[in-house]
Amino acid sequence: MNTQEIQEILNHLIIGITALYTIVILVDFVVGIVHLWQKFTLNIEYTTSEQSQMESSDIKKSLKLENQNQLTNRITSKPEPQPNNFVSIDVDKIDLRTARKIATAIKKASKSNPDLIIKQKVNNKCVPLAWLQAQIKHRLELAPEIVTPIIRELAPTAFTSVRENIQHSNIAKTGKRKVS
């Protein structure tokens, strides 16, 4: 072997090693990008699921506080007189389609108040009916002047009229008959 052949072999060896290192660097770069993308999407899913859990826990807490307040109000305060034709809204009578329509209408009606907006999707998934009903109930308490007309228009079956008809029954006459 002469020096020129050795030089050519060494040149081919250097080109091969350089190509091998270039391939390893490219593969490492692609794997790193894929790994980073997976972390990014998991982080987004985690934060949105954590946010939805925080919203649902906030709703549960507020519902518990409202229930506790109602119980304490019943115990400590005098019962409030109600009118003869007291109208209440039973949100549980609202179906999923109507609840979605109500949420959209509330969103349109409350441009000035973003706190009233009800999310219909969390983590790219549609929220369940019970969640929507709880949100509508909460918005009804926050802004009844906005929400009540919307419910009256879109879900008239949710309104129930309660009449306090206290019927005073006539005491049966228990007249004693004289036996002759």
Side-chain angles (χ1 to χ4, degrees), residues 100 119-128:
R100 290 189 182 287
K119 291 184 179 182
Q120 295 186 39
K121 284 193 174 187
V122 176
N123 293 338
N124 270 344
K125 293 181 182 177
C126 294
V127 295

Side-chain angles (χ1 to χ4, degrees), residues 9-51:
I9 290 174
L10 289 175
N11 283 342
H12 289 297
L13 187 62
I14 290 174
I15 291 172
I17 292 172
T18 307
L20 181 65
Y21 276 119
T22 306
I23 291 171
V24 168
I25 289 171
L26 286 175
V27 168
D28 185 49
F29 177 75
V30 170
V31 168
I33 293 292
V34 169
H35 183 69
L36 184 64
W37 180 255
Q38 287 174 346
K39 273 187 163 181
F40 178 74
T41 55
L42 285 175
N43 189 20
I44 288 177
E45 289 176 2
Y46 176 74
T47 56
T48 52
S49 67
E50 183 178 76
Q51 186 178 24

Side-chain angles (χ1 to χ4, degrees), residues 89-113:
I89 300 174
D90 187 7
V91 178
D92 295 331
K93 289 184 179 179
I94 299 174
D95 60 49
L96 181 62
R97 188 174 189 178
T98 308
R100 290 189 182 287
K101 287 180 183 179
I102 291 171
T104 304
I106 291 172
K107 181 179 181 181
K108 288 179 183 176
S110 63
K111 298 256 185 210
S112 62
N113 190 356

